[in-house]
Amino acid sequence: MKDYSKSKLNRIKRGQIRATYDVEKINSILDAGFIGYVSYIYQERAITLPMAYGRKEDKIYLHGSQANRMLLALLEAKQMSMTVMHLDALVLARSGLHHSVNYRSATLFGSIKNLENPKEKEAALACFMEHMMTGRWDGIRPMHKKELDRTMVVEMTIETASAKIRDVGVGDEPEDYNLDVWAGLVPLKQVAEYPIPDKGLPQKMEIPKHVLDYYQQNK
């Protein structure tokens, strides 16, 4: 078991009982998601945007246009952070202040660089696509050179990280447990619905196995 080192940057102060620095647990949170929230500074203002990502080992890959102001700002800063969060349940308590949610949340900190080598860019985009759906990269047409040239691909090296996980039930005051108030969990999950083909030829084609596999695993 390997943990990220703790510092003022990534140490969790509130709710330490829910904190983890375990690399494997944090990677599992990242691999269960596809959208991360990336923060950056633009004209002295803090902005946070949702971004799709891919992960391979300790690398996170993002992409956008060559003029993407967020990626350019991150490259100028040479550092970035990203948070990925999954909402797993509503926790309904007997009093308002004890209501909560069950969740898995990971925050990453690291250095960032622009990938300019075409082979590295293509490998990173393949990682991104496979993170979205396993098997998808081999089922699509090859990328044109002009498409690759117009796309900025950045690589974040995760240098440290931390996560918080709440996966327990209601925590009410002892004297409230006999109150005539319903309390409990409402589990939540994101599900895939049956694939809908695009217009044209796909309507006459069988749905690829990798698409059906994704549907079966996430329905």
Side-chain angles (χ1 to χ4, degrees):
M1 181 182 297
K2 180 181 178 182
D3 284 2
Y4 286 108
S5 60
K6 302 175 188 177
S7 68
K8 289 184 178 180
L9 183 64
N10 73 321
R11 184 181 289 113
I12 293 173
K13 295 182 178 180
R14 294 183 62 84
Q16 293 183 23
I17 193 173
R18 296 178 185 142
T20 180
Y21 304 88
D22 181 87
V23 173
E24 186 175 340
K25 287 183 179 179
I26 290 172
N27 285 343
S28 72
I29 293 173
L30 300 178
D31 293 345
F34 183 54
I35 301 296
Y37 295 89
V38 180
S39 299
Y40 70 106
I41 301 295
Y42 180 74
Q43 295 183 349
E44 300 182 352
R45 291 179 178 269
I47 303 175
T48 300
L49 292 176
M51 290 287 290
Y53 64 90
R55 183 192 77 85
K56 183 177 182 181
E57 299 173 349
D58 65 341
K59 309 297 184 185
I60 295 290
Y61 298 106
L62 307 175
H63 77 283
S65 75
Q66 290 287 356
N68 186 294
R69 74 179 188 183
M70 182 193 75
L71 297 182
L72 291 173
L74 292 173
L75 288 170
E76 183 178 357
K78 299 180 181 178
Q79 297 286 326
M80 68 168 279
S81 65
M82 183 178 82
T83 295
V84 174
M85 188 264 195
H86 305 281
L87 181 60
D88 296 322
L90 302 180
V91 180
L92 307 181
R94 294 166 179 83
S95 64
L97 290 180
H98 283 301
H99 278 63
S100 187
V101 295
N102 279 353
Y103 62 91
R104 292 159 289 148
S105 176
T107 300
L108 319 176
F109 305 90
S111 57
I112 184 173
K113 69 177 184 179
N114 188 15
L115 296 183
E116 298 179 309
N117 181 284
K119 289 185 178 180
E120 289 184 344
K121 288 176 67 173
E122 188 163 351
L125 291 170
C127 171
F128 173 90
M129 189 63 63
E130 288 298 294
H131 192 104
M132 178 182 185
M133 179 178 289
T134 301
R136 188 61 184 164
W137 183 256
D138 291 333
I140 58 178
R141 68 157 173 81
M143 188 171 296
H144 298 317
K145 181 180 181 301
K146 63 181 180 180
E147 292 176 322
L148 198 60
D149 291 342
R150 288 198 302 259
T151 303
M152 181 187 298
V153 181
V154 300
E155 177 187 86
M156 174 194 187
T157 299
I158 305 172
E159 296 171 347
T160 190
S162 57
K164 287 183 74 174
I165 300 171
R166 190 190 194 281
D167 56 4
V168 295
V170 177
D172 269 322
E173 299 297 331
E175 63 270 20
D176 288 344
Y177 277 86
N178 290 323
L179 292 177
D180 189 19
V181 178
W182 191 94
L185 301 179
V186 179
L188 302 173
K189 63 179 181 178
Q190 180 173 281
V191 300
E193 296 190 346
Y194 196 78
I196 302 171
D198 191 25
K199 61 184 179 181
L201 187 58
Q203 293 179 340
K204 302 176 183 178
M205 298 172 63
E206 291 187 2
I207 299 173
K209 182 178 182 301
H210 68 272
V211 178
L212 289 175
D213 286 346
Y214 181 88
Y215 164 70
Q216 290 293 338
Q217 292 165 9
N218 295 279
K219 67 178 182 177

